[in-house]
C-alpha cells in the first residue's frame, strides 16, 4: 500500500513535470506589424516555442500549431490586434487544439508566401516566434513611380523614357511578376531584377557589374537625347521600423517614428523639385512602421535605379551630452574614427533586433553581394555627404564638421552614392525636443534638400549616367 501510493505520487510528479515542460511558456507580448510589403505577427515568450504551419489556399489562410502553450488571454489579444486596413491579414482566430498545443489561423486577404521562424533573445526581447506574410503578387515600385510621373506630366514622350523602356523589358521577362512564391523577400524583386536594371551610374564600370549590359542599354542612352526626360530618383531610407524602434530618447521618442516623419517632409520637397528640368521623385524604402532588413533597403534602392540613397537616423549615446548632426559615408577600410566605427556597429545590429530570418535563402545571397562598393561610389558619397553636412550646419549643430566613414551595411549599394544622416542625438533632451518639433523638422528637411540640389549642381546625374 505504501509502495503503491509512492508509485502513484511518483507518476503524478512525472506527469506534472511533463505538463510543466509542455505548457510552461509564458506569453510576454503579441504584436502585429501590417505593411504593404508584408505583414508580421510576433509572439514573444519566455521560452522558445515550436510551431508547425500549414498553408491552405482557398480561401487563403495559414494555420499554425504552436506547441508549448495553452490558450490564454495574451494570445487571444492577437485577434483584436489585426487592423481592418492590414493589407494582408483579414483576421486571426485562436483555439486550443490539444493540450499544450494552440492552433492559430490567420485568414488572409490574398495569396501569401509565409515565413515562420524563431528568434533568440536579443536587446529587450525574449524569445520570438515570427510569421512573416509576404504577398505573392507584388506591385512593382519602379512601375508605380513611372505611372505616377506619367500621370503628373501627361502622356509626354513615353517612348523616349529610358525607365519606361526598362520597365517594359522587365515586364516581358518570364517570371518577372509575382514570383515571390518561394519565400523570397517580396518587396524587392527577386534576383533577376537588380541586374537587369543596374544600368545606372557609369562611374562604377570598373567593378564588373556594368559588364552585364543589356543590348538595349546603349539604345536607351542614344534614344534619349532629350535631357528633360530623365526621372531622377532619390531613395530615402528611414532607419529602423517595426520590431526595431531604433534609439529611444529620454522622453520616450522613438527614432523610427521621428525619422519617418522627417523622410516624409524630404519626400514632399523632392517630389516638388526638378534638376535641370528633370523631374525628381522620392522613393521610400519603408513608408510604414515595419522592419526592413538592411540588405533589402539597398536592394530596393537598386531596383528603382535610385540616383542617390539617403538613410535617415537620430541616434543615441550612453550619456545625454553628445549633440549635433553627423553624416556618414561608407569606408572600404577602417572607420575614420572610433565613434564612427561604434555608430556603424550599432546601426548594423538593426537586423538582429528587427528580426531577420537568417535561414531564408534570399537573405544569404543578397548579403553575399555586399562589399562590392567602389572607390567611385564612395567618392560620390563623400561629395553628397559634404553638401548635406554644410546645409545642416546652417540650421543646427554639427557633431563633426566633416563626413565620417565606417562600414555601414546599408550604404553598400555598389552603384549609388549613399549617405547616412544622423539628424541629431535623440539621447540629448534638447535635441529630442527639436526632433519632435515641426519647425525643426521643416528646417532640417529643407537643409537636406538643399544639400541634394547642391550635390546635383556639381555632379549632374545625366553626365554620370552616360556609358562613355
Ligand atoms: Zn539609427
Amino acid at each position: 500500500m505504501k509502495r503503491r501510493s509512492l508509485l502513484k505520487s511518483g507518476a503524478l510528479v512525472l506527469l506534472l513535470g511533463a505538463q510543466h515542460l509542455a505548457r510552461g511558456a509564458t506569453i510576454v507580448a503579441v504584436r502585429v506589424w501590417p505593411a504593404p510589403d508584408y505583414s508580421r505577427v510576433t509572439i514573444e515568450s519566455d521560452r522558445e516555442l515550436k510551431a508547425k504551419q500549414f498553408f491552405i489556399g482557398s480561401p487563403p489562410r495559414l494555420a499554425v500549431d504552436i506547441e508549448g502553450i495553452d490558450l490564454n488571454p495574451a494570445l487571444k489579444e492577437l485577434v483584436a490586434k489585426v487592423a481592418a486596413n492590414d493589407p494582408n491579414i483579414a483576421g486571426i482566430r485562436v483555439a486550443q487544439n490539444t493540450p499544450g498545443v494552440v492552433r492559430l489561423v490567420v485568414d488572409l486577404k490574398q495569396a501569401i508566401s509565409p515565413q515562420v521562424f524563431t528568434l533568440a533573445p536579443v536587446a529587450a526581447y525574449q524569445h520570438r516566434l515570427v510569421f512573416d506574410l509576404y504577398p505573392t503578387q507584388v506591385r512593382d515600385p519602379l512601375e508605380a513611380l513611372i505611372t505616377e510621373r506619367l500621370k503628373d506630366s501627361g502622356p509626354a514622350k513615353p517612348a523616349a523614357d529610358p525607365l519606361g523602356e526598362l520597365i517594359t523589358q522587365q515586364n516581358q521577362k518570364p517570371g518577372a511578376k509575382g514570383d515571390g512564391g518561394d519565400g523570397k523577400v517580396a518587396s524587392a524583386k527577386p534576383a533577376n531584377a537588380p541586374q537587369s536594371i543596374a544600368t545606372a551610374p557609369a562611374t562604377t564600370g570598373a567593378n564588373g557589374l556594368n559588364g552585364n549590359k543589356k543590348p538595349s542599354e546603349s539604345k536607351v542612352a542614344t534614344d534619349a537625347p532629350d535631357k528633360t526626360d530623365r526621372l531622377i530618383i532619390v531613395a530615402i531610407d528611414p532607419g529602423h521600423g517595426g520590431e526595431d524602434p531604433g534609439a529611444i530618447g529620454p522622453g520616450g521618442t522613438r527614432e523610427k517614428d521621428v525619422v519617418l516623419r522627417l523622410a516624409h517632409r524630404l519626400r514632399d520637397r523632392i517630389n516638388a523639385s526638378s534638376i535641370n528640368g528633370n523631374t525628381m521623385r522620392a522613393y521610400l524604402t519603408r513608408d510604414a512602421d515595419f522592419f526592413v532588413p538592411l540588405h533589402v533597403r539597398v536592394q530596393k534602392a537598386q531596383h528603382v535605379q535610385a540616383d542617390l540613397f539617403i538613410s535617415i537616423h537620430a541616434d543615441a549615446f550612453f550619456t545625454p551630452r553628445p549633440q549635433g548632426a553627423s553624416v556618414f559615408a561608407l569606408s572600404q577600410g577602417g572607420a575614420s574614427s572610433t565613434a564612427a566605427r561604434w555608430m556603424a556597429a550599432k546601426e548594423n545590429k538593426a537586423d538582429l533586433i528587427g528580426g531577420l530570418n537568417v535561414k531564408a535563402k534570399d537573405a544569404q545571397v543578397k548579403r553575399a553581394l555586399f562589399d562590392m562598393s567602389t572607390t567611385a561610389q564612395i567618392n560620390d558619397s563623400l561629395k553628397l555627404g559634404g553638401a548635406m553636412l554644410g546645409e545642416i550646419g546652417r540650421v543646427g549643430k554639427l557633431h563633426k564638421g566633416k563626413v565620417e566613414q565606417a562600414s555601414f551595411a546599408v550604404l553598400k549599394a555598389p552603384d549609388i552614392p549613399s549617405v547616412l544622416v544622423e539628424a541629431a542625438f535623440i539621447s540629448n533632451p534638447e535635441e529630442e525636443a527639436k526632433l519632435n518639433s515641426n519647425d525643426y523638422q521643416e528646417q532640417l528637411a529643407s537643409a537636406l534638400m538643399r544639400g541634394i540640389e547642391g550635390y546635383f549642381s556639381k555632379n549632374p546625374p545625366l553626365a554620370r549616367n552616360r556609358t562613355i
Side-chain angles (χ1 to χ4, degrees):
M1 189 66 193
K2 224 180 175 184
R3 188 167 165 264
R4 195 180 299 158
S5 75
L6 200 68
L7 276 174
K8 249 183 158 174
S9 69
L12 191 66
V13 169
L14 276 178
L15 191 62
L16 279 175
Q19 275 186 327
H20 181 72
L21 282 177
R23 303 186 186 188
T26 302
I27 304 298
V28 177
V30 291
R31 295 180 286 272
V32 181
W33 303 102
D37 285 33
Y38 73 101
S39 292
R40 168 176 285 192
V41 177
T42 306
I43 299 174
E44 188 183 349
S45 56
D46 66 344
R47 64 189 69 178
E48 189 175 344
L49 298 172
K50 286 208 166 65
K52 278 187 212 143
Q53 75 268 22
F54 322 87
F55 185 68
I56 300 127
S58 179
R61 59 201 192 274
L62 177 74
V64 188
D65 281 347
I66 307 170
E67 292 169 28
I69 44 169
D70 281 326
L71 193 53
N72 57 44
L75 270 178
K76 285 183 184 161
E77 270 180 40
L78 260 181
V79 176
K81 286 207 168 170
V82 177
N85 62 355
D86 189 310
N88 303 297
I89 304 177
I92 295 182
R93 293 173 276 149
V94 287
Q96 187 83 45
N97 195 16
T98 51
V101 180
V102 167
R103 174 161 291 183
L104 191 137
V105 178
V106 185
D107 293 305
L108 299 157
K109 289 183 176 170
Q110 55 182 320
I112 60 118
S113 165
Q115 289 191 20
V116 179
F117 56 98
T118 55
L119 295 165
V122 63
Y125 292 122
Q126 300 191 41
H127 292 272
R128 284 177 287 173
L129 173 63
V130 177
F131 317 125
D132 282 350
L133 310 166
Y134 291 92
T136 51
Q137 293 287 332
V138 189
R139 190 179 182 213
D140 188 314
L142 181 55
E143 202 170 344
L145 282 173
I146 302 292
T147 311
E148 184 196 332
R149 178 251 188 171
L150 288 177
K151 207 168 55 195
D152 287 357
S153 59
K157 293 172 269 175
D161 176 3
L163 287 182
E165 225 174 274
L166 286 162
I167 282 184
T168 311
Q169 283 171 26
Q170 200 187 341
N171 286 347
Q172 285 163 353
K173 279 185 184 233
K177 287 258 162 203
D179 49 354
D182 55 353
K184 282 178 178 166
V185 175
S187 54
K189 272 292 169 210
N192 63 346
Q195 286 87 341
S196 71
I197 55 163
T199 57
T203 46
T204 52
N207 70 0
L209 273 191
N210 283 5
N212 183 22
K213 286 190 176 81
K214 297 284 166 220
S216 59
E217 190 179 355
S218 54
K219 185 169 165 284
V220 169
T222 51
D223 271 3
D226 184 359
K227 286 191 167 199
T228 61
D229 210 30
R230 164 86 155 81
L231 188 61
I232 297 174
I233 298 175
V234 179
I236 309 175
D237 176 54
H240 313 280
E243 298 268 296
D244 174 19
I248 297 175
T253 308
R254 299 181 303 187
E255 181 183 3
K256 66 174 180 178
D257 299 327
V258 285
V259 297
L260 184 58
R261 282 167 48 209
L262 186 55
H264 284 150
R265 288 189 155 93
L266 181 56
R267 175 185 65 189
D268 294 345
R269 283 161 175 77
I270 289 170
N271 286 350
S273 302
S274 61
I275 298 286
N276 301 332
N278 300 304
T279 308
M280 292 182 89
R281 275 287 171 268
Y283 168 70
L284 266 63
T285 58
R286 80 168 170 95
D287 196 6
D289 187 10
F290 69 109
F291 165 66
V292 186
L294 295 172
H295 72 278
V296 174
R297 295 169 188 262
V298 175
Q299 202 180 323
K300 283 179 150 195
Q302 287 180 303
H303 179 67
V304 298
Q305 307 172 74
D307 290 282
L308 302 178
F309 179 92
I310 297 159
S311 192
I312 304 180
H313 292 256
D315 252 294
F317 200 67
F318 305 112
T319 61
R321 181 98 55 85
Q323 57 176 346
S326 325
V327 178
F328 296 89
L330 186 67
S331 78
Q332 277 178 310
S336 57
S337 71
T338 312
R341 185 183 313 122
W342 181 85
M343 195 60 93
K346 194 162 175 288
E347 293 297 0
N348 291 346
K349 274 189 194 153
D351 280 353
L352 273 179
I353 299 163
L356 182 70
N357 182 8
V358 289
K359 286 181 186 149
K361 282 179 291 175
D362 189 63
Q364 314 247 344
V365 175
K366 295 301 174 196
R367 272 141 64 105
L369 285 178
F370 275 3
D371 293 327
M372 294 179 78
S373 290
T374 62
T375 309
Q377 183 244 359
I378 292 175
N379 285 342
D380 284 341
S381 304
L382 288 170
K383 287 182 200 162
L384 171 64
M388 295 181 101
L389 201 64
E391 294 296 338
I392 299 169
R394 292 172 181 223
V395 301
K397 288 186 177 129
L398 295 181
H399 186 64
K400 272 238 172 157
K402 73 179 205 28
V403 180
E404 291 235 64
Q405 287 180 268
S407 190
F408 290 90
V410 82
L411 300 182
K412 292 188 176 180
D415 46 8
I416 307 171
S418 304
V419 294
L420 186 143
V421 178
E422 295 284 359
F425 278 92
I426 206 168
S427 46
N428 178 304
E430 268 174 49
E431 297 212 333
E432 182 187 24
K434 278 173 89 177
L435 283 168
N436 273 318
S437 93
N438 287 335
D439 263 9
Y440 190 65
Q441 283 232 348
E442 289 286 310
Q443 289 176 37
L444 206 51
S446 295
L448 296 176
M449 186 66 213
R450 286 195 303 272
I452 292 169
E453 287 168 332
Y455 170 79
F456 276 137
S457 70
K458 290 183 188 147
N459 308 272
L462 276 178
R464 288 195 316 104
N465 219 26
R466 295 296 180 198
T467 44
I468 279 294

